C-alpha cells in the first residue's frame, strides 16, 4: 500500500530557525523573534493535527523534550521510517543537533500497538560524513519499491544503496537545483508520489537524461504526472503526502501555502485521486524550511490485532 492512516507527529517545544541546517536549505528564513516563532509554530502544529483527526486520520502525537535542544524535531520523517514488513530504519543526519532527535522511547511506545520486526540503524554513516535523511532524502513509491532521490549534501549515494539493499527498493537518482542553481536539499520539496499520481518540478532536474529517466519511471508505474513550476515548488507545492483515513478514503495533505500556489487544472487533477486537505503552517515553513509532508512520519508497521 502506498499510503497509511497512521501518522507520527512531534509537538515542538523549541522550534525555530536552525543555524546548523541553513547553509544547505535555501527554504529557511529567520524571523526576528524566535520565542514568538515557537508560540506560533505550536499553534500551527496543533491546528494541523486537529484538521487531520477531523478528517479521520490516526495521529500519534509525541511531545518533544526541552533538552537536548532540537529545533527541527517537528520534522520526524528525516530520522525514521516505518515499513509494512515490520522494519524500522534510522537515518544518518547532517546537522549534529538533528541527530539528537532520534528517540528510542518513541519506538518503544509504538510497539504497544504495532509489530516491530527489526531496526536497521544507518546512523553509523555519520562517522563518515555520509547522510541519508529519511523520506526527506527519498520519495518512496512504496507499492512499486522505487526510491526517488536527488543527490545532495544530505543524500549520499552509498547510503542510499545500502537502504535499497536492506529494503528491496530500486533507486532512481538525479541532481536537482532551484532556479538560482543551488542544489535542492531534500527530494520531497520537489516531488510527491501517490498511488496514481506524482507532483514534480521537472524544471529542477537540469540533466535531460535524468529528467527523462524520472518521467519514464513514473509513467511506467502508471502515475499521472502533475508538473509544477519553481515558484510553486518554493511555496511547497511538491511537499504533499497521500494518506488514508479510517474509512479508507484517500486524502492528499499539504500546506495552505502549497494549495494556494496550485492552479485550477492541477487542483482538478489531484481531486481525481483524493480529497485535498491543507493547513496554515506558514511560520513552520518559513523558519524550518520544511512543510506538511516533512511533519508526518507514516507508520506502515503491521498493527497488533
Amino acid at each position: 500500500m502506498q499510503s497509511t492512516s497512521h501518522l507520527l507527529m512531534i509537538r515542538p517545544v523549541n522550534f525555530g530557525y536552525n543555524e546548523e541546517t541553513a547553509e544547505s536549505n535555501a527554504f529557511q528564513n529567520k524571523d526576528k523573534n524566535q520565542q514568538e516563532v515557537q508560540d506560533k509554530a505550536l499553534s500551527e502544529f496543533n491546528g494541523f493535527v486537529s484538521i487531520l483527526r477531523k478528517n479521520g486520520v490516526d495521529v500519534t502525537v509525541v511531545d518533544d523534550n526541552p533538552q537536548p535542544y532540537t529545533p527541527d524535531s517537528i520534522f520526524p520523517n528525516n530520522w525514521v521510517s516505518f515499513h509494512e514488513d515490520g522494519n524500522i530504519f534510522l537515518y544518518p543526519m547532517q546537522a549534529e543537533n538533528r541527530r539528537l532527535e532520534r528517540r528510542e522511547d518513541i519506538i518503544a511506545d509504538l510497539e504497544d500497538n504495532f509489530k516491530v520486526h527489526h531496526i536497521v540503524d544507518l546512523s553509523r554513516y555519520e562517522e563518515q560524513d555520509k547522510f541519508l535523511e529519511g523520506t526527506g532524502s527519498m520519495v518512496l513509491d512504496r507499492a512499486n519499491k522505487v526510491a526517488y532521490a536527488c543527490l545532495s549534501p544530505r543524500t549520499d549515494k552509498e547510503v542510499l544503496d545500502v537502504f535499497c539493499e536492506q529494503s528491496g527498493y530500486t533507486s532512481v537518482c538525479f541532481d536537482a537545483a532551484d532556479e538560482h542553481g543551488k542544489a535542492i536539499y531534500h527530494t520531497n520539496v520537489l516531488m510527491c508520489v501517490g498511488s496514481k499520481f506524482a507532483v514534480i518540478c521537472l524544471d529542477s532536474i537540469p540533466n535531460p537524461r535524468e529528467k527523462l529517466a524520472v518521467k519514464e519511471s513514473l509513467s511506467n508505474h502508471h502515475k499521472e504526472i502533475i508538473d509544477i513550476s519553481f515558484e510553486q515548488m518554493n511555496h511547497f507545492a511538491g511537499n504533499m503526502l497521500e494518506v488514508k483515513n479510517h474509512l479508507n478514503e484517500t486524502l492528499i495533505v499539504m500546506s495552505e501555502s502549497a494549495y494556494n500556489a496550485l492552479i485550477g487544472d492541477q487542483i482538478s487533477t489531484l481531486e481525481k485521486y483524493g480529497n485535498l486537505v491543507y493547513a496554515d503552517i506558514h511560520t513552520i515553513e518559513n523558519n524550518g524550511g520544511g512543510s506538511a509532508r516533512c511533519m508526518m512520519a507514516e507508520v506502515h508497521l503491521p498493527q497488533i490485532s
Side-chain angles (χ1 to χ4, degrees), residues 90-95 99 102 122-133 137 152-162:
L90 304 178
Y91 296 98
M93 311 280 282
Q94 184 186 50
R99 300 170 191 178
R102 292 190 292 260
L122 302 178
S123 64
R124 65 187 182 276
Y125 283 96
E126 289 167 354
E127 299 174 4
Q128 303 176 37
D129 290 328
K130 295 176 180 178
F131 313 109
L132 183 72
E133 297 189 337
S137 289
S152 76
R154 302 202 204 176
T155 304
D156 182 86
K157 180 64 164 60
E158 179 183 340
V159 191
L160 175 65
D161 289 343
V162 173

Side-chain angles (χ1 to χ4, degrees), residues 133-152:
E133 297 189 337
T135 53
S137 289
M138 303 176 292
V139 171
L140 301 181
D141 179 349
R142 291 179 181 260
N144 297 295
K145 294 279 190 174
V146 180
Y148 296 91
C150 70
L151 303 180
S152 76

